[in-house]
Amino acid sequence: MLRSFLGVAQTAERAKFDMLFLADGIGVRLDDKPKGSLCRSHHNVELEPLTLLSALAALTQNIGLVATASTTYNEPFHIARKYGSLDQISGGRAAWNVVTSWSDKEAWNFSMSKQLDYDTRYERAAEFVDVVTGLWDSWDEDAFIIDKETGVFFDDTKMHVLDHVGKHFSVRGPLSVRRSPQGRPILVQAGVSEPGQQIAAQHCDMVFMAKNDLKSAQDYYASVKDRLEGYGRQRGDLLMMLGLTPIVGRTRQEAQEKYEELESLIDPIVGLQLLYRSFGDLSHLPLDGPVPKPDLENVGLKSSAQMYYDLAQKQNLTIRQLYKKLGMAQEHKTVVGTAEDVADEMQSWFEAGAADGFNITPTHLPQGIDDFVELVLPELRKRGLFREEYEGQTLRENLGLPVPVSRYQQASTGNKLMAS
Amino acid sequence: MLRSFLGVAQTAERAKFDMLFLADGIGVRLDDKPKGSLCRSHHNVELEPLTLLSALAALTQNIGLVATASTTYNEPFHIARKYGSLDQISGGRAAWNVVTSWSDKEAWNFSMSKQLDYDTRYERAAEFVDVVTGLWDSWDEDAFIIDKETGVFFDDTKMHVLDHVGKHFSVRGPLSVRRSPQGRPILVQAGVSEPGQQIAAQHCDMVFMAKNDLKSAQDYYASVKDRLEGYGRQRGDLLMMLGLTPIVGRTRQEAQEKYEELESLIDPIVGLQLLYRSFGDLSHLPLDGPVPKPDLENVGLKSSAQMYYDLAQKQNLTIRQLYKKLGMAQEHKTVVGTAEDVADEMQSWFEAGAADGFNITPTHLPQGIDDFVELVLPELRKRGLFREEYEGQTLRENLGLPVPVSRYQQASTGNKLMAS
């Protein structure tokens, strides 16, 4: 299994991608609804992202490594330490995708009868991220002097004890990992809710966004960026990355045939399972009939359920048509066409202020990424829209993001801004 | 930093060692007592074992990878998953050294005002290990059929939901990692207390032991082995590995000079810090005076304090002499001499039923391991006491340990024994 991930990572690194991103859930989150669907899903047994990315760190040199971890079922000290360690191992290429989790099935694996309510999850997440960034500031960059004469490893005036006491956590510190080669590991957020956007604007370097239409992408993009100033940050200090599923062919017809072939492979039982989390079990309804309104108060991930229903309404989709769309790209934007078509779409969204970059989410691996690299990248490069070489050593340098100033430096200089 | 660990791992693998072991604590556990000692200790900033060993897994082929993790500050689901994932990544070379932790300083990093009391720590540890082994049995070895025709990934009669409800944990499962290539990752324990020995005898594959004199090593060895039958296990199902610090020279005089040189490098302030955890601050006492009795009710790790005091009493050591001994090898057995001397000592303890193998704990790296490989291994090989080649693919095969039978197989066959 390591080998197949390594192949994808090496392809992406040869092509000079910024990073490789692993989504995650902590447990088998699916129901066997409709019956027979669970054993048809490959999402049940996967490698754990931090161990997998640590292994890939050892076998790659430049590509960023983005692992998802939940603030609901972890402790900030472990997260700060593990990502700090991955960052050391990789030479400054680690990133944490901050999620709050959405499933009672995960709660059941952690001695809880159900997940925390929505507000508590986000309140905990905000404090969690604050603690983690504080722990990452435990050691100044030049703390380790390692003086053979005196036997002194570090200058203890450059060690900082966090002493955090908050509503959800009390964490003393200091962290037992030295300062990150990129200042701090990169922080990523994907929540579209109000508290999710606040966390992104206050703390994060990057947002993964999932939008299908240009207008709502532009609105969301602006909504997050507009919040930055309130935290003393510049608009360029946070990058908005749009999920994009390209189905690319040498001709439009070839691309369309690829799309249809892939779509035809989606088993109806797996399609209905995709809808289950948002709509409940629809197996008693005709597949070619309309999509019913979801019960928004009782679904796992409200925002997705609303988005899927809106999509079905707007495009007048049947149940079968909706699950086929989701089966291909979940809530991500899909482009079916030639390299020029895909590049056109990417360029126009970028120029229209809907995205700073793209998170390529292929329908399947490794072919999906191979196609993109072989066909679309040359077109983007021709237009001067994709790098020829990595700009720096760390993920932060490659993303062109400012190095965060330690909170202890800020305190001593009175400077609340990020250094750039 | 990865590079220096990699060098040691590759040396050990070339030499056909069973495994590489990383001890761990979760945070900076030392006090700055006496003042000026904290910044002279290198134990404050280290790479986190699971991320480090995952990286090393990618760069090695045969050597076992033993990471320490605490049952007091972790959740069983995370531990089962991360070690399960490391085991997949490494092709069956993962091992978990189960510890309960001993420091309030770790508790302070996890929203606790002090560590759990001793009995609760061990009670929690026993339940924790039971949950983890249960989660590792979530999938039968042949569960994943991956049938392209029907789209079925796994046979759901071969997936097992743990549904554990206990005093400390409720964990539903199943684990989201497939069954280990070695049945289950190897379990290691090092606690000498009564409950520690019970956990070892019931669940573990290996015990790391620290004994200075033959008699107490033999007694402890027998005490653990004698418990195995009560759990339906054979004496060979658990290996007792003795910590050994060799100082080896081409002549006895060279070895003795090495020892004295290393000993002379121990700064008194670091020496007193080594004693602090067992004896409190002794900096007001004469270094060349006697070692006072420790306050056993108020020390972090009772068993060590008692052992150090006994050692000082028995050998009539001064404070300086005691810290020098500990500085060289902590509580491990030390042998200073030629390759023949070291091999003699290892062979005689092995033959006297004091150890099944040795955990080499050099004074410093990489020289300590290089010396052992260059000088002692040829002597052990000459005597037929050390392998020429790895026997198998997995750590379990190389250790000659039986593959555990899944608890669900045991239940269905009524067989409570391990398969061999």
Side-chain angles (χ1 to χ4, degrees):
Chain A
M1 279 198 287
L2 176 60
R3 203 161 298 274
S4 60
F5 281 104
L6 177 60
V8 171
Q10 288 174 330
T11 298
E13 185 167 78
R14 269 195 307 271
K16 319 293 179 196
F17 272 66
D18 290 315
M19 57 205 173
L20 182 74
F21 160 52
L22 298 180
D24 192 47
I26 325 167
V28 172
R29 293 186 289 186
L30 300 171
D31 286 284
D32 191 26
K33 298 207 177 148
K35 194 153 172 50
S37 62
L38 185 66
C39 66
R40 287 179 169 81
S41 167
H42 68 286
H43 282 299
N44 296 299
V45 277
E46 299 177 310
L47 296 173
E48 189 276 329
L50 272 166
T51 42
L52 173 56
L53 291 183
S54 298
L56 294 179
L59 300 170
T60 54
Q61 281 75 49
N62 299 102
I63 196 159
L65 304 162
V66 191
T68 298
S70 171
T71 56
T72 303
Y73 306 108
N74 277 296
E75 289 285 337
F77 197 90
H78 285 312
I79 292 295
R81 187 172 181 230
K82 285 181 201 287
Y83 283 83
S85 186
L86 174 61
D87 213 36
Q88 296 292 333
I89 288 167
S90 64
R93 296 186 283 135
W96 171 30
N97 177 37
V98 182
V99 300
T100 64
S101 305
W102 48 260
S103 157
D104 284 341
K105 291 201 173 51
E106 286 160 292
W108 299 342
N109 289 332
F110 294 94
S111 303
M112 292 163 65
S113 59
K114 60 189 180 74
Q115 60 179 333
L116 299 175
D117 69 79
Y118 189 88
D119 292 343
T120 307
R121 282 211 303 281
Y122 273 90
E123 188 186 78
R124 179 181 159 108
E127 188 181 335
F128 195 117
V129 171
D130 181 54
V131 172
V132 168
T133 57
L135 287 169
W136 281 337
D137 287 346
S138 292
W139 303 90
D140 293 348
E141 197 184 335
D142 57 353
F144 293 89
I145 50 184
I146 307 181
D147 183 328
K148 283 197 180 182
E149 277 309 304
T150 59
V152 170
F153 283 88
F154 62 84
D155 175 348
D156 52 15
T157 66
K158 294 180 175 173
M159 176 188 92
H160 308 282
V161 177
L162 183 64
D163 271 333
H164 172 88
V165 179
K167 183 168 171 189
H168 298 276
F169 305 104
S170 302
V171 180
R172 182 168 178 271
L175 190 65
S176 45
V177 181
R178 61 174 70 193
R179 190 165 185 81
S180 157
Q182 54 181 340
R184 290 183 200 145
I186 295 286
L187 282 177
V188 189
Q189 225 278 325
V192 294
S193 64
E194 181 62 30
Q197 291 189 44
Q198 290 295 351
I199 291 171
Q202 184 171 3
H203 293 290
C204 292
D205 300 292
M206 206 186 302
V207 164
F208 288 155
M209 54 188 285
K211 292 289 174 188
N212 282 295
D213 70 290
L214 182 63
K215 179 66 174 57
S216 74
Q218 288 170 315
D219 290 348
Y220 177 58
Y221 181 98
S223 166
V224 176
K225 292 267 181 173
D226 288 348
R227 293 164 202 261
L228 290 167
E229 199 183 347
Y231 296 103
R233 301 178 69 191
Q234 312 285 318
R235 289 180 87 81
D237 292 352
L238 181 148
L239 298 174
M240 303 287 290
M241 303 299 208
L242 184 88
L244 179 75
T245 303
I247 315 280
V248 58
R250 285 166 208 283
T251 63
R252 285 188 184 168
Q253 192 185 334
E254 187 187 296
Q256 188 59 35
E257 282 167 7
K258 261 193 204 175
Y259 185 88
E260 284 163 19
E261 191 201 336
L262 287 167
E263 212 185 39
S264 75
L265 294 172
I266 303 172
D267 192 312
I269 206 168
V270 174
L272 290 172
Q273 188 188 45
L274 282 172
L275 300 182
Y276 179 77
R277 183 152 68 96
S278 300
F279 297 92
D281 190 346
L282 303 183
S283 61
H284 59 291
L285 295 176
L287 291 181
D288 297 313
V291 176
K293 194 166 171 30
D295 175 8
L296 286 176
E297 289 317 300
N298 294 300
V299 296
L301 202 60
K302 272 188 219 184
S303 54
S304 292
Q306 184 70 57
M307 187 193 298
Y308 298 163
Y309 182 65
D310 291 348
L311 180 69
Q313 288 290 98
K314 199 170 137 193
Q315 302 189 10
N316 200 24
L317 302 177
T318 64
I319 290 174
R320 193 193 305 271
Q321 287 166 330
L322 180 61
Y323 81 58
K324 282 191 170 181
K325 261 193 194 296
L326 302 187
M328 291 300 285
Q330 306 250 15
E331 60 259 64
H332 296 300
K333 176 174 169 59
T334 308
V335 187
V336 184
T338 63
E340 290 75 20
D341 292 334
V342 176
D344 283 350
E345 198 71 2
M346 292 173 79
Q347 182 168 1
S348 70
W349 281 49
F350 174 70
E351 290 174 352
D356 295 316
F358 296 87
N359 189 12
I360 307 300
T361 56
T363 48
H364 59 305
L365 291 170
Q367 290 88 340
I369 193 77
D370 290 347
D371 285 355
F372 187 85
V373 168
E374 190 191 340
L375 301 172
V376 181
L377 278 195
E379 180 62 29
L380 290 173
R381 288 206 165 103
K382 209 164 71 186
R383 301 180 188 193
L385 293 172
F386 201 90
R387 69 162 65 85
E388 301 285 342
E389 277 305 328
Y390 285 106
E391 294 82 11
Q393 286 301 307
T394 67
L395 175 57
R396 192 177 289 280
E397 285 168 0
N398 288 327
L399 292 169
L401 287 170
V403 174
V405 175
S406 162
R407 64 178 67 184
Y408 303 99
Q409 301 284 331
Q410 289 174 13
S412 63
T413 62
N415 172 15
K416 293 272 172 199
L417 301 179
M418 312 274 274
S420 99
Chain B
M1 280 196 287
L2 175 61
R3 203 160 298 274
S4 60
F5 281 104
L6 177 61
V8 172
Q10 288 175 331
T11 298
E13 185 168 78
R14 269 194 307 272
K16 320 292 178 196
F17 271 67
D18 289 315
M19 57 203 175
L20 182 73
F21 160 52
L22 297 180
D24 193 48
I26 325 167
V28 172
R29 293 186 290 185
L30 300 171
D31 287 283
D32 191 26
K33 295 200 179 155
K35 195 157 169 51
S37 62
L38 185 65
C39 66
R40 286 180 169 79
S41 166
H42 67 287
H43 282 299
N44 297 297
V45 278
E46 298 176 311
L47 296 173
E48 188 277 328
L50 271 166
T51 43
L52 173 55
L53 291 184
S54 298
L56 294 180
L59 300 170
T60 54
Q61 281 74 49
N62 298 102
I63 196 159
L65 304 162
V66 191
T68 299
S70 171
T71 55
T72 303
Y73 306 108
N74 277 296
E75 289 284 338
F77 197 91
H78 285 312
I79 292 296
R81 186 170 181 231
K82 285 180 202 289
Y83 283 82
S85 186
L86 175 60
D87 212 36
Q88 295 291 334
I89 289 166
S90 64
R93 297 185 283 135
W96 171 29
N97 177 37
V98 182
V99 300
T100 63
S101 305
W102 48 260
S103 157
D104 284 341
K105 292 199 174 52
E106 287 162 291
W108 299 341
N109 289 332
F110 295 94
S111 302
M112 292 162 66
S113 59
K114 62 189 178 73
Q115 60 179 332
L116 300 176
D117 68 80
Y118 189 87
D119 292 342
T120 306
R121 283 212 301 281
Y122 273 90
E123 188 185 79
R124 180 181 159 108
E127 187 180 335
F128 195 116
V129 171
D130 180 54
V131 172
V132 168
T133 56
L135 287 170
W136 282 337
D137 287 345
S138 292
W139 303 90
D140 292 348
E141 198 186 336
D142 56 353
F144 293 89
I145 49 184
I146 307 183
D147 183 329
K148 282 196 181 183
E149 277 308 304
T150 59
V152 170
F153 283 87
F154 61 85
D155 175 349
D156 51 15
T157 66
K158 295 181 175 175
M159 176 186 94
H160 308 282
V161 176
L162 183 65
D163 270 333
H164 173 88
V165 179
K167 182 168 169 190
H168 297 276
F169 305 104
S170 302
V171 180
R172 183 170 178 270
L175 190 64
S176 45
V177 180
R178 61 174 69 193
R179 189 164 185 82
S180 158
Q182 54 181 341
R184 291 181 198 145
I186 294 287
L187 282 177
V188 189
Q189 226 278 323
V192 294
S193 63
E194 180 61 29
Q197 290 189 44
Q198 290 296 353
I199 291 172
Q202 184 171 2
H203 293 290
C204 292
D205 300 292
M206 207 187 301
V207 164
F208 288 155
M209 54 188 285
K211 292 289 173 190
N212 282 295
D213 71 290
L214 183 63
K215 178 68 174 60
S216 74
Q218 287 169 316
D219 289 349
Y220 177 58
Y221 181 98
S223 167
V224 176
K225 293 266 182 174
D226 288 347
R227 293 165 200 261
L228 290 167
E229 199 183 348
Y231 296 103
R233 302 178 67 191
Q234 312 287 318
R235 289 179 88 82
D237 292 351
L238 181 147
L239 299 173
M240 304 287 290
M241 302 301 208
L242 185 89
L244 180 76
T245 302
I247 315 279
V248 58
R250 283 166 209 283
T251 63
R252 285 188 184 168
Q253 191 185 334
E254 187 187 295
Q256 188 58 37
E257 283 166 8
K258 260 192 203 176
Y259 186 89
E260 283 163 19
E261 191 201 336
L262 287 168
E263 211 185 40
S264 76
L265 294 173
I266 303 172
D267 192 312
I269 206 169
V270 175
L272 289 171
Q273 187 188 46
L274 283 172
L275 300 182
Y276 179 77
R277 183 152 68 96
S278 299
F279 297 90
D281 190 346
L282 303 182
S283 60
H284 59 288
L285 296 175
L287 292 181
D288 298 313
V291 176
K293 194 166 168 36
D295 174 9
L296 286 176
E297 289 316 301
N298 293 299
V299 296
L301 202 60
K302 272 188 219 183
S303 53
S304 293
Q306 185 69 56
M307 187 191 300
Y308 298 163
Y309 182 64
D310 291 350
L311 180 70
Q313 287 290 99
K314 199 168 138 192
Q315 302 188 10
N316 200 23
L317 302 176
T318 64
I319 290 174
R320 193 195 304 273
Q321 287 165 331
L322 180 61
Y323 80 60
K324 282 191 171 181
K325 261 193 193 293
L326 301 186
M328 291 299 285
Q330 306 251 13
E331 59 260 62
H332 296 301
K333 176 173 168 60
T334 307
V335 187
V336 183
T338 63
E340 290 75 20
D341 292 333
V342 176
D344 283 350
E345 197 72 3
M346 291 173 79
Q347 183 168 1
S348 71
W349 280 49
F350 173 69
E351 290 173 351
D356 296 314
F358 297 87
N359 189 12
I360 306 301
T361 57
T363 49
H364 59 305
L365 291 169
Q367 290 88 338
I369 192 78
D370 290 346
D371 285 355
F372 187 84
V373 168
E374 191 192 339
L375 301 172
V376 181
L377 278 195
E379 179 62 27
L380 289 173
R381 287 208 166 102
K382 210 166 69 188
R383 302 182 188 192
L385 293 172
F386 201 90
R387 68 163 67 83
E388 301 285 342
E389 278 305 330
Y390 286 105
E391 294 81 10
Q393 285 300 306
T394 68
L395 175 57
R396 192 177 289 280
E397 285 167 1
N398 288 326
L399 291 169
L401 287 169
V403 174
V405 175
S406 161
R407 64 177 68 182
Y408 302 100
Q409 302 284 332
Q410 288 176 13
S412 62
T413 62
N415 171 16
K416 293 273 171 197
L417 300 179
M418 314 273 277
S420 95

